[in-house]
Amino acid sequence: MSTKNLSTIFGENVFDCSVMKARLPKNVYKKLKKTIDEGVVLDPSIADVVANAMKDWAVEKGATHYTHWFQPMTGSTAEKHDAFISPTDDGKVILEFSGKELIKGEPDASSFPSGGIRATFEARGYTAWDCTSPAFIRDNVLCIPTAFVSYTGEALDKKTPLLRSMDALSAQALRVLKLFGNTTAKRVITTVGPEQEYFLIDKKYYDQRKDLIFAGRTLFGAMPPKGQELEDHYFGSIKERIAAFMKEVNEELWKLGVRAKTEHNEVAPGQFEIAPIFNTTNVSTDHNQLVMDTLKKVANRHGLVCLLHEKPFAGINGSGKHNNWSMSTDDGQNLLEPGTNPHENAQFLIFLCAVIKAVDTYPELLRLAASNPGNDHRLGANEAPPAIISIFLGDQLTDIVEQLENGAATSSKQGGELRISASTLPALPKDNTDRNRTSPFAFTGNKFEFRMVASSLSIAGPNTVLNTIVAEALKEIADRLEKSVNFNSEVQAILQEIVKKHKRIIFNGNNYSDEWVKEAEKRGLPNIRSFVEAVPFLISDKSIALFEGHSVLNKTELHSRYEILLEQYIKTINIEALTMLDMAKKQILPAVFKYSTIVAQSINEIKTTGVDVSTSVQADLLKEISEVLVSFKANITKLEKALEIANFKDDIYERALAFRNEVFSVMNDLRIDGDKLETLVDSSLWPIPTYSEMLFTL
Ligand code: ADP
Ligand code: MG
C-alpha cells in the first residue's frame, strides 16, 4: 500500500463520478449526474442499471456484501450487511443486486431512537438511497449512503433534515441571485470543511480505566505536575508512533475519497487535529463520520485508543470541531467571497448580512445544535469557546458594516489606506488577515468558522440549523427585493436595516473575558449555560415555524428530537454517575483503606519506641486522609440519593434538569475528594492509571 502513490489510492474504493461515467450507459449517467448536481428527483427507471454496475464494480474489488449505511439519532452510523447472493433453481447462487435493493432498504429499526414517532408495533423504518453522496467499499462491504425515515415518512436520522435544509437554502439563495442578475446558477450548495480534534492514549491505560471505557472521559484523575502550560505540544514535531498512525489514517481515508489534508499536534498533550479540504455539506458530513470511525479503528491497530469526547481530561483543553461553512453556486462562485467590483460587493454584503441576521435571530438553535452532554464541559465552562453566540467580522469588515448603518458604505480601510470606489459601495478587503481565536462564529475571509461544535457530534445537526436559519433570512430578503421598485436602493435599505437591528451580535473582542459576559447581557444576547437548558428551544413556536416553513422538520419530528436529546443526556449522566460510584467503591475506597492501614501500622511501630506519636508525620497524614475520606464517603451517599431522586421524576425535562443540577454537581464534589485522595495515597497502591501516565507516555 505504501508503495502506491497518493493519486492511485485516492478514491480507489469509491463509486464516484469517474467510475460511473466509465461504467454506466451515457444516458443513465447523465440522468444520475443531474440528480446529484441539481437535486432533481431521481428517475427510478435507471436504478436497476446503476445497481448492477455498482455491484459488478464492488465484486471486482472483493466486496461480498452491501449495506445501506445510515445515521440514526444515536449520532453514529449504522449498517446491516446483506450478501450479494441470490439462490437459483439448481441449488446454487448468483450474485445479484437490484435497483429496488439499491433504492430502498428496510432495516429492523425498532431499536434506534425515534423519540416516540414510531411505536414498536409499526417498527418499520426505511432507508432511501442518497445518490448525492457516493457509495464506497469498506472491509469488503459496499456501503450505500442512505436517509432513514419512518413508515409514515418522518425523519429518523440526521441526514434527512440536512438534505432538506440544503434544498431550502438553495431555493432561497437562487431567488436572491436571480435578482442580482444571475440566471445560470441551477443550485446553491453549502460547503463545509470540519476540523476534527481528538486525543490519543495508550490502550494499556485505557483498558484499566472503567470511566474511559464506559463514559469516554475520565471521571477521576488529579492534574499532573505538568499540564499544557508550556504549550510545547502545539505544532510540535509529531512522534514516530503517532506519525505511523496518522499515515495509516490518511491512507484509509484517501481510499474512501476523503480529502484529508492537514494534521498537527494540538495545544493539549496527547491531542491532535485532522482536517479535510471542504466539500458539499452532505458529503462532508458523511466523510466526517468516516473520519471519526477511521481514527478509532486505526488507533486500535496501533495499540492506541482515540478519544473523541469533548473533555476527556479535566483541567486540560478539550476537543471541538471547527465547522467551516460557506455557500456557493453550482458553477463555483463562493457567495461569501468579497467581490472585485461594487455590484459583486452588494451581492456579497447581502449574503453576509443574511448570515448576520440569521445568527442573531436564532442564537439558541445554533447553541443547541453545537451541543451535547460532553460539550457542557467546554461551552460556558472555563474553556473555549463561550456559550454566548457572537460573530467576529474583523476590523475592516466591521468598519464597512458600520458605514452601512449610516447609509451606504463608501470607503474601505485597507492597511490604513482609505479607498473610495466609483460607486456607492467600497472595495472590500480580499484577504481577511484578522484572527480571533476566541470567537464562536468567525468570518475568516470567505467563509464562516463555527467553532462551538462538539468534537464527537455529527456535523449534520449544526449544518441543518445553519442552512435553515440562513434560508429564512434569505427568504425575507428575497420577498422584499422581488417587490422592490428601485432594486439598488432597496438593497441599501435592507443592508442598513439588518445592520441596525443585528449589529449587537458582532463582537471582535476577547470572548473569554468576564467583561464580555456582562456586555453581552446588556446587549440582550442569550447566555444558555447548559445543554439541557438549550433543548426546549427546539420546540418553541419560533423554531417550529422556522423548520416547518422550510419543510426541514415538522412539529412531530421536532418533538421527537426534543425527547431523544433529553433522553441521551439523562442516559449519559446516569452512566457516568454509576461508573463513578463503581470506581469510588470498588477501586478508590479499597486502595485508601490499604494505605491507611499501612500508615496506621507505621504509627503503631513508632509507638513501641516510646515516641509521642500524636505529633508524628504519620498521624498528621492519617488525619488528613481520614478527613477527606469522610467527605468522599458522604458524597458517595449523596450521589446515590441524587440519582434516585432524579430517576424518579416523571417529566423528561424535569428529569434531565435534575441530572444536570443535582447529580452532575454531586459528581463534581465526589471527584474533588477522589482526586485529593489520589495525591495522598502511595502511587504504587493507586488502582487506576494517572494523568501523567496517560498524557505523557505516548
Ligand atoms: P484554521 O486552522 O486556520 O482554522 P484550516 O486551513 O486548518 O484553518 O481549516 C480551514 C478549513 O476550512 C479547511 O477544512 C478548508 O477546506 C475549509 N474551507 C476553506 N474554504 C471553504 C469554503 N468555501 N467552505 C467551507 N469550508 C472551507
Ligand atoms: Mg479552525
Side-chain angles (χ1 to χ4, degrees), residues 195 322 324 437 449 451:
E195 303 163 58
H322 290 178
N324 294 277
R437 294 276 169 199
E449 184 170 356
R451 301 210 183 97

Side-chain angles (χ1 to χ4, degrees), residues 130-144:
D130 165 24
C131 65
T132 62
S133 180
F136 55 91
I137 300 172
R138 226 169 31 143
D139 304 324
N140 298 328
V141 179
L142 169 67
C143 300
I144 299 153

Side-chain angles (χ1 to χ4, degrees), residues 569-585:
Y569 183 81
I570 292 164
K571 276 187 189 154
T572 303
I573 307 300
N574 195 41
I575 290 170
E576 289 187 354
L578 292 176
T579 306
M580 260 194 126
L581 286 170
D582 187 90
M583 290 172 76
K585 293 201 278 197

Side-chain angles (χ1 to χ4, degrees), residues 1-3 242-252 254 263:
M1 177 169 63
S2 45
T3 51
I242 306 303
F245 157 82
M246 285 180 173
K247 180 169 186 285
E248 204 174 318
V249 166
N250 283 332
E251 281 171 357
E252 296 263 316
W254 289 336
E263 53 190 27

Side-chain angles (χ1 to χ4, degrees), residues 193-195 197 264 266 273 275 321-324 435 437 444 447 449-451:
E195 303 163 58
E197 290 182 330
H264 60 78
E266 264 302 328
E273 180 187 290
K321 191 137 52 188
H322 290 178
N323 190 82
N324 294 277
R435 282 277 173 179
R437 294 276 169 199
T444 51
K447 60 185 185 291
E449 184 170 356
F450 185 25
R451 301 210 183 97

Side-chain angles (χ1 to χ4, degrees), residues 158 162 310 321 323 362-373 375 379 387 389 441 450-469 528 530-538 543 546-547 553 565:
K158 304 212 169 198
L162 179 66
E310 290 67 30
K321 191 137 52 188
N323 190 82
Y362 299 98
E364 299 91 353
L365 289 179
L366 272 179
R367 198 281 184 220
L368 172 63
S371 310
N372 67 358
N375 227 9
L379 304 183
I389 305 247
F441 203 92
F450 185 25
R451 301 210 183 97
M452 284 168 93
V453 181
S455 53
S456 66
L457 198 66
S458 159
I459 56 169
N463 287 301
T464 300
V465 168
L466 251 176
N467 294 345
T468 312
I469 63 178
I528 305 166
S530 71
F531 172 65
V532 173
E533 288 156 281
V535 177
F537 289 100
L538 196 60
S543 165
L546 169 77
F547 287 111
L553 287 163
L565 290 175

